[in-house]
Short mmCIF file of all heavy atoms in Angstrom, two decimals:
data_model
loop_
_atom_site.label_atom_id
_atom_site.label_comp_id
_atom_site.label_asym_id
_atom_site.label_seq_id
_atom_site.Cartn_x
_atom_site.Cartn_y
_atom_site.Cartn_z
N TYR V 1 5.26 28.79 -1.29
CA TYR V 1 6.75 28.76 -1.58
C TYR V 1 7.40 30.09 -1.27
O TYR V 1 6.81 31.12 -1.43
CB TYR V 1 7.00 28.45 -3.08
CG TYR V 1 6.61 27.10 -3.52
CD1 TYR V 1 5.34 26.82 -3.94
CD2 TYR V 1 7.54 26.10 -3.49
CE1 TYR V 1 5.01 25.50 -4.38
CE2 TYR V 1 7.24 24.78 -3.96
CZ TYR V 1 5.94 24.52 -4.39
OH TYR V 1 5.59 23.27 -4.79
N ARG V 2 8.64 30.01 -0.86
CA ARG V 2 9.54 31.18 -0.78
C ARG V 2 10.35 31.11 -2.11
O ARG V 2 10.92 30.09 -2.45
CB ARG V 2 10.50 31.09 0.42
CG ARG V 2 11.37 32.30 0.61
CD ARG V 2 12.22 32.18 1.86
NE ARG V 2 13.30 31.24 1.75
CZ ARG V 2 14.43 31.40 1.22
NH1 ARG V 2 14.82 32.59 0.69
NH2 ARG V 2 15.38 30.50 1.24
N THR V 3 10.32 32.23 -2.78
CA THR V 3 11.07 32.23 -4.14
C THR V 3 12.19 33.26 -4.12
O THR V 3 12.14 34.22 -3.42
CB THR V 3 10.08 32.55 -5.23
OG1 THR V 3 9.49 33.84 -5.02
CG2 THR V 3 8.93 31.54 -5.32
N TRP V 4 13.14 32.98 -4.97
CA TRP V 4 14.27 33.91 -5.16
C TRP V 4 14.90 33.60 -6.51
O TRP V 4 14.66 32.57 -7.15
CB TRP V 4 15.27 33.86 -4.05
CG TRP V 4 16.06 32.58 -3.92
CD1 TRP V 4 17.33 32.37 -4.40
CD2 TRP V 4 15.73 31.36 -3.30
NE1 TRP V 4 17.77 31.11 -4.11
CE2 TRP V 4 16.81 30.47 -3.39
CE3 TRP V 4 14.61 30.98 -2.59
CZ2 TRP V 4 16.77 29.22 -2.95
CZ3 TRP V 4 14.55 29.66 -2.11
CH2 TRP V 4 15.66 28.82 -2.26
N HIS V 5 15.74 34.52 -6.95
CA HIS V 5 16.47 34.43 -8.21
C HIS V 5 17.98 34.74 -7.90
O HIS V 5 18.21 35.64 -7.14
CB HIS V 5 15.95 35.40 -9.24
CG HIS V 5 16.66 35.31 -10.57
ND1 HIS V 5 17.72 36.08 -10.85
CD2 HIS V 5 16.43 34.51 -11.59
CE1 HIS V 5 18.20 35.77 -12.12
NE2 HIS V 5 17.41 34.81 -12.57
N ASP V 6 18.84 33.94 -8.47
CA ASP V 6 20.26 34.19 -8.35
C ASP V 6 20.96 33.91 -9.65
O ASP V 6 20.27 33.65 -10.70
CB ASP V 6 20.90 33.46 -7.15
CG ASP V 6 20.80 31.99 -7.28
OD1 ASP V 6 20.58 31.44 -8.37
OD2 ASP V 6 20.91 31.32 -6.23
N ASP V 7 22.26 33.86 -9.67
CA ASP V 7 23.03 33.61 -10.89
C ASP V 7 22.72 32.22 -11.49
O ASP V 7 22.93 32.00 -12.72
CB ASP V 7 24.52 33.76 -10.66
CG ASP V 7 24.89 35.18 -10.38
OD1 ASP V 7 24.14 36.10 -10.70
OD2 ASP V 7 25.95 35.37 -9.73
N SER V 8 22.25 31.28 -10.71
CA SER V 8 21.97 29.93 -11.27
C SER V 8 20.58 29.75 -11.73
O SER V 8 20.20 28.70 -12.26
CB SER V 8 22.33 28.89 -10.23
OG SER V 8 21.45 28.91 -9.14
N GLY V 9 19.68 30.78 -11.53
CA GLY V 9 18.30 30.67 -11.97
C GLY V 9 17.32 31.04 -10.93
O GLY V 9 17.54 31.75 -9.98
N TYR V 10 16.12 30.51 -11.11
CA TYR V 10 14.99 30.72 -10.24
C TYR V 10 14.84 29.53 -9.27
O TYR V 10 15.05 28.40 -9.64
CB TYR V 10 13.69 30.92 -11.01
CG TYR V 10 13.67 32.17 -11.84
CD1 TYR V 10 14.26 32.14 -13.16
CD2 TYR V 10 13.11 33.33 -11.38
CE1 TYR V 10 14.19 33.34 -13.93
CE2 TYR V 10 13.11 34.52 -12.10
CZ TYR V 10 13.67 34.51 -13.38
OH TYR V 10 13.64 35.63 -14.08
N HIS V 11 14.49 29.91 -7.99
CA HIS V 11 14.35 28.86 -6.99
C HIS V 11 13.05 29.06 -6.24
O HIS V 11 12.54 30.19 -6.11
CB HIS V 11 15.50 28.97 -5.95
CG HIS V 11 16.85 28.90 -6.55
ND1 HIS V 11 17.53 27.77 -6.71
CD2 HIS V 11 17.65 29.87 -7.09
CE1 HIS V 11 18.68 27.98 -7.29
NE2 HIS V 11 18.79 29.26 -7.52
N ALA V 12 12.51 27.98 -5.75
CA ALA V 12 11.30 27.97 -4.87
C ALA V 12 11.48 26.88 -3.84
O ALA V 12 11.97 25.78 -4.13
CB ALA V 12 10.06 27.73 -5.70
N ARG V 13 11.16 27.26 -2.60
CA ARG V 13 11.28 26.28 -1.51
C ARG V 13 9.91 26.28 -0.76
O ARG V 13 9.38 27.33 -0.34
CB ARG V 13 12.37 26.64 -0.52
CG ARG V 13 12.57 25.67 0.57
CD ARG V 13 13.85 25.87 1.29
NE ARG V 13 13.99 25.01 2.43
CZ ARG V 13 14.33 23.71 2.32
NH1 ARG V 13 14.61 23.16 1.17
NH2 ARG V 13 14.44 22.94 3.43
N LEU V 14 9.36 25.12 -0.53
CA LEU V 14 8.14 24.98 0.20
C LEU V 14 8.30 25.54 1.60
O LEU V 14 9.36 25.35 2.25
CB LEU V 14 7.71 23.51 0.29
CG LEU V 14 6.89 22.93 -0.76
CD1 LEU V 14 6.73 21.44 -0.61
CD2 LEU V 14 5.53 23.61 -0.86
N HIS V 15 7.29 26.26 2.07
CA HIS V 15 7.37 26.82 3.43
C HIS V 15 7.45 25.75 4.53
O HIS V 15 8.15 25.92 5.51
CB HIS V 15 6.17 27.75 3.69
CG HIS V 15 6.13 29.01 2.95
ND1 HIS V 15 7.14 29.94 3.04
CD2 HIS V 15 5.30 29.48 2.03
CE1 HIS V 15 6.87 30.92 2.24
NE2 HIS V 15 5.78 30.71 1.61
N ARG V 16 6.74 24.69 4.30
CA ARG V 16 6.76 23.61 5.34
C ARG V 16 7.75 22.53 4.91
O ARG V 16 8.00 22.28 3.74
CB ARG V 16 5.38 23.00 5.53
CG ARG V 16 4.88 22.21 4.30
CD ARG V 16 3.52 21.63 4.53
NE ARG V 16 3.17 20.87 3.38
CZ ARG V 16 2.33 19.80 3.46
NH1 ARG V 16 1.77 19.51 4.62
NH2 ARG V 16 2.04 19.14 2.40
N GLU V 17 8.29 21.85 5.91
CA GLU V 17 9.21 20.74 5.67
C GLU V 17 8.39 19.49 5.36
O GLU V 17 7.52 19.13 6.14
CB GLU V 17 10.13 20.51 6.89
CG GLU V 17 11.18 21.61 7.11
CD GLU V 17 12.24 21.62 6.06
OE1 GLU V 17 12.70 20.52 5.58
OE2 GLU V 17 12.61 22.71 5.66
N LEU V 18 8.81 18.88 4.29
CA LEU V 18 8.06 17.60 3.90
C LEU V 18 8.81 16.42 4.56
O LEU V 18 10.02 16.40 4.69
CB LEU V 18 8.14 17.41 2.40
CG LEU V 18 7.40 18.40 1.55
CD1 LEU V 18 7.73 18.23 0.05
CD2 LEU V 18 5.92 18.21 1.75
N PRO V 19 8.00 15.46 5.05
CA PRO V 19 8.63 14.25 5.64
C PRO V 19 9.30 13.43 4.59
O PRO V 19 9.02 13.53 3.41
CB PRO V 19 7.43 13.58 6.32
CG PRO V 19 6.25 14.05 5.59
CD PRO V 19 6.55 15.42 5.11
N ASP V 20 10.10 12.47 5.03
CA ASP V 20 10.83 11.60 4.16
C ASP V 20 9.88 10.79 3.17
O ASP V 20 10.20 10.59 2.03
CB ASP V 20 11.73 10.66 4.84
CG ASP V 20 12.93 11.34 5.48
OD1 ASP V 20 13.28 12.45 5.02
OD2 ASP V 20 13.53 10.78 6.45
N ASP V 21 8.77 10.34 3.71
CA ASP V 21 7.88 9.56 2.82
C ASP V 21 7.28 10.40 1.76
O ASP V 21 6.94 9.92 0.64
CB ASP V 21 6.80 8.80 3.64
CG ASP V 21 5.94 9.72 4.53
OD1 ASP V 21 6.39 10.75 4.99
OD2 ASP V 21 4.75 9.35 4.72
N ALA V 22 7.07 11.74 1.99
CA ALA V 22 6.59 12.57 0.86
C ALA V 22 7.65 12.75 -0.19
O ALA V 22 7.37 12.75 -1.39
CB ALA V 22 6.21 13.98 1.43
N LEU V 23 8.93 12.89 0.26
CA LEU V 23 10.04 12.97 -0.72
C LEU V 23 10.19 11.68 -1.50
O LEU V 23 10.41 11.71 -2.74
CB LEU V 23 11.31 13.34 0.02
CG LEU V 23 11.29 14.68 0.75
CD1 LEU V 23 12.57 14.84 1.57
CD2 LEU V 23 11.12 15.89 -0.19
N ALA V 24 10.00 10.56 -0.79
CA ALA V 24 10.08 9.26 -1.57
C ALA V 24 8.90 9.10 -2.53
O ALA V 24 9.05 8.45 -3.54
CB ALA V 24 10.04 8.13 -0.49
N TYR V 25 7.80 9.73 -2.26
CA TYR V 25 6.65 9.70 -3.12
C TYR V 25 6.87 10.50 -4.39
O TYR V 25 6.19 10.40 -5.43
CB TYR V 25 5.42 10.22 -2.40
CG TYR V 25 4.06 10.02 -3.09
CD1 TYR V 25 3.41 8.78 -3.06
CD2 TYR V 25 3.46 11.07 -3.77
CE1 TYR V 25 2.23 8.58 -3.70
CE2 TYR V 25 2.24 10.90 -4.40
CZ TYR V 25 1.63 9.65 -4.36
OH TYR V 25 0.41 9.49 -5.01
N GLY V 26 7.88 11.39 -4.32
CA GLY V 26 8.18 12.25 -5.53
C GLY V 26 7.99 13.73 -5.32
O GLY V 26 8.20 14.54 -6.23
N CYS V 27 7.51 14.10 -4.08
CA CYS V 27 7.38 15.53 -3.79
C CYS V 27 8.75 16.16 -3.65
O CYS V 27 9.70 15.52 -3.21
CB CYS V 27 6.53 15.69 -2.54
SG CYS V 27 4.95 14.89 -2.52
N MET V 28 8.87 17.45 -3.95
CA MET V 28 10.14 18.10 -3.89
C MET V 28 10.10 19.30 -2.89
O MET V 28 9.15 20.08 -2.93
CB MET V 28 10.59 18.57 -5.23
CG MET V 28 10.65 17.39 -6.22
SD MET V 28 11.66 17.60 -7.65
CE MET V 28 13.19 18.32 -7.07
N GLN V 29 11.08 19.41 -2.06
CA GLN V 29 11.19 20.54 -1.08
C GLN V 29 11.67 21.79 -1.77
O GLN V 29 11.26 22.89 -1.52
CB GLN V 29 12.19 20.12 0.02
CG GLN V 29 12.17 21.08 1.17
CD GLN V 29 10.88 21.06 1.95
OE1 GLN V 29 10.50 19.95 2.42
NE2 GLN V 29 10.33 22.14 2.25
N HIS V 30 12.65 21.65 -2.71
CA HIS V 30 13.25 22.70 -3.40
C HIS V 30 13.15 22.56 -4.93
O HIS V 30 13.36 21.47 -5.44
CB HIS V 30 14.71 22.86 -3.02
CG HIS V 30 15.47 23.92 -3.67
ND1 HIS V 30 16.28 23.69 -4.76
CD2 HIS V 30 15.54 25.31 -3.44
CE1 HIS V 30 16.80 24.84 -5.16
NE2 HIS V 30 16.35 25.83 -4.40
N LEU V 31 12.72 23.59 -5.58
CA LEU V 31 12.63 23.58 -7.03
C LEU V 31 13.62 24.58 -7.66
O LEU V 31 13.91 25.59 -7.09
CB LEU V 31 11.22 23.98 -7.44
CG LEU V 31 10.07 23.18 -6.89
CD1 LEU V 31 8.70 23.84 -7.24
CD2 LEU V 31 10.11 21.72 -7.28
N HIS V 32 14.12 24.24 -8.85
CA HIS V 32 15.03 25.13 -9.57
C HIS V 32 14.61 25.08 -11.03
O HIS V 32 14.21 24.08 -11.58
CB HIS V 32 16.49 24.62 -9.43
CG HIS V 32 17.46 25.39 -10.23
ND1 HIS V 32 17.80 25.02 -11.51
CD2 HIS V 32 18.01 26.59 -10.04
CE1 HIS V 32 18.65 25.90 -12.02
NE2 HIS V 32 18.79 26.84 -11.08
N ALA V 33 14.75 26.29 -11.65
CA ALA V 33 14.36 26.39 -13.06
C ALA V 33 15.21 27.55 -13.71
O ALA V 33 15.65 28.43 -13.00
CB ALA V 33 12.91 26.66 -13.29
N ASP V 34 15.31 27.50 -15.01
CA ASP V 34 16.05 28.53 -15.70
C ASP V 34 15.18 29.80 -15.93
O ASP V 34 15.74 30.86 -16.08
CB ASP V 34 16.56 28.03 -17.05
CG ASP V 34 17.68 26.97 -16.86
OD1 ASP V 34 18.40 27.02 -15.87
OD2 ASP V 34 17.75 26.08 -17.71
N THR V 35 13.85 29.63 -16.00
CA THR V 35 13.02 30.80 -16.32
C THR V 35 11.86 30.82 -15.26
O THR V 35 11.51 29.79 -14.63
CB THR V 35 12.34 30.64 -17.75
OG1 THR V 35 11.48 29.52 -17.74
CG2 THR V 35 13.39 30.54 -18.81
N ALA V 36 11.22 31.98 -15.14
CA ALA V 36 10.14 32.11 -14.22
C ALA V 36 8.95 31.25 -14.57
O ALA V 36 8.34 30.61 -13.75
CB ALA V 36 9.73 33.61 -14.11
N PRO V 37 8.54 31.22 -15.87
CA PRO V 37 7.45 30.33 -16.25
C PRO V 37 7.70 28.89 -15.98
O PRO V 37 6.81 28.10 -15.56
CB PRO V 37 7.27 30.60 -17.77
CG PRO V 37 7.77 31.95 -17.98
CD PRO V 37 8.97 32.06 -17.02
#
């Protein structure tokens, strides 16, 4: 993941692009959270 923090919280984005069927399976390309843990 590539990670960063901004005013809206913590973010992580997978380095590789997931295909549509992976996203339909429930995998996420981008994650967001309020805390690092």
